Amino acid sequence: MVRVAALTAFLVGLWDITSISKLVCAGQHNPAYLDSSLPPKERAADLLQRMTWEEKVGQLGGVRRTLGRTNGQATLNKTAFDIAHKTQNGQIGLGAQYNYAKDVLPVVNELRAEQINSTRLGIPYVVITDSINSVWVSGGTLFPGAISMASSWNLDLYERVIAAIRDENHALGVNWVLSPELDIAYDPRNGRNGEMFGEDTYLISQFGTKHVQTMQAKDDNGFVKIATTVKHWVYGRGNGGVNRASMSGGINHIMNDLAAPYIKVIKEAEPLSLMVSYASVDRVPMSINRHMIQDILRYNLGFEGLVMSDASSIQYTTTESKVAKSREDAALKALRAGLEHELSPDGAGLYTTLINEFNNTEIANLIDKSVLALLVIKFATGVFDNSLPSVEKMANTLRNEDHLEINRNISRESVVLLKNDGILPLQRNNIGKIAVVGAYADMINAGMYAACNATDPAYGDSLRRSLSKELGDENVLYAHGVDALPSNDSSGIDAAMAVAREAGFAVVVLGSGYGTFDATEINNRRTDGEGFAHAELGFPGLQQQLLDAVLDTGVPTILVMSGGQTFVLNESTMRSAAIIHSWLSGEFTGDALVEILFGDTNPSGKLTVTMPQANGAFPAAYDYLPSDDQGGFGTATLYDWQWPQVARYAPLRFGFGLSYTTFNISSPVTPSAVSYGGDVSVSVSVKNTGKVAGKEVVQLYYRPEYSVIEFPVMKLVRFVKIDLAPGESKDIKLVVPHNELGYYIDGIWNVDSGNYTFWIGSSSRTEDLHRFNVTIS
């Protein structure tokens, strides 16, 4: 292993296009692919015809785990890297998350320069990495998770977040990110919900479009700053086991549910790449699903970017799905299905087996098409033209003051207040000591895809640390209570009860799933995240018993929830005087929670997922089909969910969130009839009727009275977040183009004429909505 500190320093920033020019074969003066004035596709086509078979196959993969970490130090196994990159040299990744950017960049720069200077055509790597709420490695601005930021319902602020993450990635030398995720957080058991935006396809498409447009903004030279990858095409939804409920399957389900966010994002933002999911759709794994990739994605939706595998997903067709008999068979099936690039973290990509297919004209043509798609991304992002990034510029970009302030603001707006019996906001002059209880009170739970050592203050302040800074260490009585992981050790509960009684006031923080992809954490610490679905939707381990014990003391108690998932809140939990969901933390979530507790910040977050009432009472999403709420027989009005007896209508619904002020949304003003093809325009006046400033989210929902295929009970179609001072009013006008009021029937878009029901208000709850009708004729 070669220590990063021992690597020869490389003078970054000096390499440019002339370095490649020197490598061009004799007699090839000013080849088209080196002409930055030409379009990326033209440059890519020119380079492709100059490449050998081996060079083409090499572009189909890369080395994802470039730098490891040993004894707290970034390490490069140069021998292993050299072996892998000989046959997989299209892209490279950054490696271990706990390595700091300042240590990573010089090594990656040297590897990139070596690739350019020691190969025949000098084709650069493209640097690809995951990036959801921060740069992949340590040292960048740590924003809250995707589910958290979507809970802000603030698209303008989210745009600033993505611009900051984009600029930090760019300064680190990243050209291509594996985000945003357009999956639907429909099943609360899914461990990856924290990476998603929520359960509603319109909301997902709005945040996804903003992500792609912002990340792929062009620099002054016309190069895309960072290419994006929308994922995971496509990921499924459950239907809850209700007697007469809908069955998921077929083209109408795919087009109206699973593909809906992709349709808008592809049309409006033109992402440069797309990743297929691990799922099997209609029994065919997506990595080899020609119908879903070619017929639906390419032909029906018109996607023109590169299509790639998920990590090791081609290999899984041999080891898990058992639909390919060998590595080469799997590679051939994936290529024929339309998979153009392979992600293989372990460096053992299956597309390397295609080197044996040089006499196969069909495969040669498919490889040419695949390589061309990758080269287009390389030229579009300027990897042939831009200088390598400097450590100095990176240091000035990562965690600059503008980025930190944006982070503070999104952290404040990402927190959702779910219950408040009047205890909040706290009055400083009435608070002496506070008991802070729970393992999650002393960690930053940022999600697997964020570089964050949960207990290391270098990554930000936990709620405990933030409260100590506010009130002083002597006034914050901390008790760990019970382990964050499943355990039978209840020995710390008595101590937690004791500090609660001593302080006379308690904040209990419970949660799920902390840590990263680090081997020690993914194997020993997780209860939520990728690969960690949960059948129980309560708090892991003895955390519920801990909360119950503190509540039993009679001390006023606030519950703060942490994690990317929703939790079932039982009757005992609801005894809490206030309940807050902080979702996946950023480095300032602890500070934001303190501001909210004391009223310095008025909470304005809203749920983007519905919280189920019981284990098994799901899917709980607000936009179920009418038949999903049935199950009785004859004249009975029974529901399938009889024990415990709950309805499909869950109280803690999509769009709900409390504030310290009150808002009045007036009755809507809208035409009662609109000509077919005309827009539906809805106007309301929103007034802050309370005593403090606050932010409200105005939400517009709709459904046709009758439809050719079954339509959800309601669907979100517009939303806007506004800021109002006490007593202030604002007039809001929401316009819905006629074409957005439809749905797909057998792959064809349809908009019905007739009566439509609309609702406008502050959440999807009936009591928060004004209902009105519009006829389209």
Side-chain angles (χ1 to χ4, degrees):
M1 306 293 281
V2 181
R3 297 287 183 189
V4 170
L7 289 171
T8 304
F10 182 72
L11 298 177
V12 299
L14 298 182
W15 169 79
D16 57 24
I17 189 63
T18 58
S19 299
I20 298 180
S21 299
K22 296 176 182 178
L23 300 172
V24 180
C25 301
Q28 296 289 344
H29 300 295
N30 300 318
Y33 81 92
L34 296 182
D35 184 351
S36 61
S37 69
L38 296 176
K41 288 185 179 180
E42 189 172 334
R43 297 177 71 183
D46 177 74
L47 177 56
L48 181 68
Q49 56 89 24
R50 301 171 186 273
M51 296 171 66
T52 66
W53 174 254
E54 290 77 11
E55 288 168 340
K56 292 176 181 178
V57 174
Q59 291 293 303
L60 301 179
V63 184
R64 292 288 311 286
R65 295 171 178 166
T66 304
L67 278 82
R69 188 167 178 83
T70 305
N71 298 324
Q73 299 291 323
T75 55
L76 171 68
N77 187 328
K78 192 63 163 58
T79 301
F81 178 87
D82 286 344
I83 292 172
H85 94 86
K86 286 181 180 178
T87 56
Q88 299 169 92
N89 45 60
Q91 39 85 3
I92 58 172
L94 301 180
Q97 290 168 287
Y98 284 161
N99 289 331
Y100 273 81
K102 63 181 177 59
D103 299 321
V104 171
L105 181 57
V107 182
V108 174
N109 274 345
E110 187 162 342
L111 294 173
R112 293 175 70 181
E114 181 182 35
Q115 171 72 2
I116 293 162
N117 294 323
S118 64
T119 57
R120 188 178 70 91
L121 294 174
I123 303 173
Y125 298 119
V126 61
V127 181
I128 187 170
T129 179
D130 289 285
S131 182
I132 294 179
N133 48 324
S134 67
V135 295
W136 175 249
V137 294
S138 299
T141 305
L142 180 61
F143 291 92
I147 191 74
S148 315
M149 293 191 285
S151 299
S152 73
W153 291 64
N154 191 331
L155 287 169
D156 292 337
L157 182 54
Y158 182 70
E159 180 179 5
R160 297 182 66 198
V161 169
I162 297 304
I165 295 174
R166 176 199 67 204
D167 292 347
E168 294 198 1
N169 271 298
H170 197 264
L172 181 57
V174 174
N175 316 110
W176 189 4
V177 294
L178 302 175
S179 59
E181 192 164 327
L182 303 182
D183 297 336
I184 302 164
Y186 202 71
D187 190 330
R189 297 168 298 186
N190 190 342
R192 303 192 71 174
N193 285 351
E195 302 168 34
M196 306 176 197
F197 295 120
E199 69 185 33
D200 177 79
T201 55
Y202 176 76
L203 180 136
I204 294 167
S205 68
Q206 291 296 101
F207 276 90
T209 298
K210 187 68 70 176
H211 186 292
V212 173
Q213 289 174 336
T214 306
M215 195 70 73
Q216 291 191 175
K218 294 185 178 181
D219 64 19
D220 293 340
N221 295 317
F223 295 119
V224 170
K225 291 184 178 180
I226 304 286
T228 60
T229 305
V230 292
K231 61 181 189 180
H232 305 88
W233 173 261
V234 290
Y235 194 66
R237 295 163 48 150
N239 55 26
V242 174
N243 183 31
R244 297 208 306 262
S246 60
M247 293 293 291
S248 295
I251 189 64
N252 291 324
H253 166 60
I254 289 169
M255 297 298 287
N256 290 297
D257 299 328
L258 308 184
Y262 290 89
I263 294 168
K264 182 178 179 66
V265 175
I266 289 171
K267 178 181 178 180
E268 297 188 8
E270 299 181 355
L272 289 176
S273 65
L274 174 146
M275 179 188 292
V276 299
S277 73
Y278 289 121
S280 290
V281 175
D282 199 23
R283 300 291 185 95
V284 183
M286 280 304 306
S287 291
I288 62 170
N289 196 321
R290 190 185 187 285
H291 172 65
M292 288 300 302
I293 296 173
Q294 301 288 0
D295 299 341
I296 305 300
L297 180 65
R298 294 292 196 195
Y299 177 74
N300 195 303
L301 303 190
F303 179 69
E304 296 181 351
L306 176 144
V307 178
M308 68 167 65
S309 76
D310 203 339
S312 303
S313 66
I314 302 176
Q315 180 178 338
Y316 294 156
T317 64
T318 69
T319 59
E320 294 179 3
S321 304
K322 307 291 187 182
V323 294
K325 59 187 178 183
S326 66
R327 288 168 54 85
E328 185 171 359
D329 182 42
L332 290 170
K333 286 179 176 177
L335 188 71
R336 286 176 170 134
L339 218 58
E340 296 165 322
H341 194 74
E342 180 179 17
L343 292 182
S344 181
D346 59 7
L350 275 65
Y351 272 176
T352 57
T353 64
L354 298 175
I355 198 73
N356 302 318
E357 298 293 326
F358 57 91
N359 286 325
N360 187 321
T361 302
E362 177 208 5
I363 300 304
N365 289 336
L366 289 173
I367 287 179
D368 277 358
K369 180 176 178 294
S370 299
V371 174
L372 187 70
L374 180 65
L375 293 178
V376 166
I377 290 179
K378 290 188 175 186
F379 284 113
T381 56
V383 296
F384 280 83
D385 306 274
N386 292 331
S387 299
L388 295 177
S390 70
V391 174
E392 180 182 7
K393 181 179 180 181
M394 181 186 70
N396 292 332
T397 303
L398 268 59
R399 300 185 52 73
N400 67 49
E401 281 303 319
D402 286 344
H403 294 179
L404 296 180
E405 185 58 27
I406 294 168
N407 195 2
R408 291 185 183 96
N409 289 332
I410 194 70
S411 298
R412 292 169 179 134
E413 297 198 26
S414 296
V415 175
V416 184
L417 178 62
L418 296 173
K419 179 185 178 183
N420 182 18
D421 68 0
I423 195 173
L424 295 178
L426 304 176
Q427 303 300 314
R428 284 183 171 83
N429 55 1
N430 293 333
I431 294 292
K433 297 180 184 294
I434 291 182
V436 179
V437 177
Y440 282 95
D442 205 25
M443 66 173 69
I444 300 173
N445 187 14
M448 291 178 72
Y449 280 85
C452 176
N453 185 327
T455 58
D456 186 346
Y459 291 87
D461 285 330
S462 63
L463 177 57
R464 176 193 180 185
R465 292 193 290 269
S466 294
L467 274 170
S468 293
K469 289 181 178 180
E470 175 72 21
L471 302 175
D473 287 335
E474 69 279 6
N475 293 317
V476 177
L477 309 181
Y478 175 66
H480 178 84
V482 300
D483 291 339
L485 297 173
S487 167
N488 293 321
D489 184 3
S490 62
S491 60
I493 292 181
D494 287 343
M497 297 171 68
V499 298
R501 290 191 182 99
E502 180 181 349
F505 185 86
V507 177
V508 179
V509 186
L510 308 182
S512 178
Y514 69 96
T516 67
F517 279 90
D518 183 270
T520 59
E521 294 178 346
I522 199 169
N523 292 329
N524 302 314
R525 295 187 182 179
R526 300 215 59 85
T527 51
D528 187 51
E530 183 173 0
F532 292 86
H534 25 78
E536 290 287 340
L537 296 176
F539 303 102
L542 300 179
Q543 292 184 86
Q544 182 67 52
Q545 289 89 321
L546 173 66
L547 173 63
D548 292 343
V550 173
L551 290 169
D552 288 344
T553 66
V555 170
T557 300
I558 295 172
L559 168 63
V560 176
M561 297 182 290
S562 171
Q565 70 169 91
T566 54
F567 300 95
V568 168
L569 304 182
N570 62 29
E571 291 184 6
S572 179
T573 304
M574 295 302 292
R575 293 184 292 157
S576 304
I579 300 176
I580 295 170
H581 205 326
S582 63
W583 302 103
L584 289 175
S585 305
E587 60 184 288
F588 295 124
T589 299
D591 292 348
L593 285 168
V594 171
E595 292 178 3
I596 288 171
L597 290 175
F598 287 100
D600 302 320
T601 290
N602 189 351
S604 63
K606 302 272 190 175
L607 292 175
T608 64
V609 286
T610 299
M611 298 188 66
Q613 296 174 273
N615 283 304
F618 49 78
Y622 84 98
D623 58 342
Y624 51 83
L625 299 181
S627 63
D628 289 343
D629 198 24
Q630 301 303 315
F633 50 90
T635 59
T637 57
L638 302 177
Y639 294 91
D640 272 1
W641 290 341
Q642 283 293 300
W643 186 254
Q645 187 169 351
V646 296
R648 177 72 65 171
Y649 186 94
L652 294 177
R653 298 177 68 72
F654 176 83
F656 173 73
L658 297 174
S659 170
Y660 293 155
T661 190
T662 55
F663 300 94
N664 179 67
I665 299 177
S666 70
S667 297
V669 176
T670 186
S672 60
V674 175
S675 298
Y676 191 85
D679 299 341
V680 175
S681 175
V682 185
S683 297
V684 294
S685 178
V686 185
K687 182 176 182 179
N688 182 344
T689 56
K691 298 180 179 179
V692 297
K695 296 181 174 70
E696 179 61 293
V697 181
V698 180
Q699 305 164 37
L700 179 65
Y701 300 85
Y702 84 105
R703 69 160 279 126
E705 182 179 9
Y706 295 101
S707 51
V708 178
I709 62 174
E710 194 171 3
F711 195 87
V713 292
M714 63 167 55
K715 285 291 294 180
L716 182 71
V717 69
R718 283 293 183 276
F719 65 88
V720 63
K721 190 169 192 177
I722 56 174
D723 191 355
L724 295 171
E728 182 183 7
S729 296
K730 286 185 180 178
D731 294 330
I732 301 298
K733 183 177 182 180
L734 300 176
V735 178
V736 184
H738 170 265
N739 197 49
E740 291 189 30
L741 295 174
Y743 50 92
Y744 281 94
I745 304 174
D746 298 332
I748 300 173
W749 187 249
N750 172 76
V751 181
D752 293 318
S753 58
N755 295 326
Y756 282 74
T757 300
F758 286 84
W759 298 262
I760 192 165
S762 60
S763 85
S764 66
R765 303 192 315 170
T766 302
E767 58 266 42
D768 295 332
L769 293 167
H770 293 286
R771 177 174 174 163
F772 59 99
N773 296 316
V774 175
T775 300
I776 298 177
S777 58

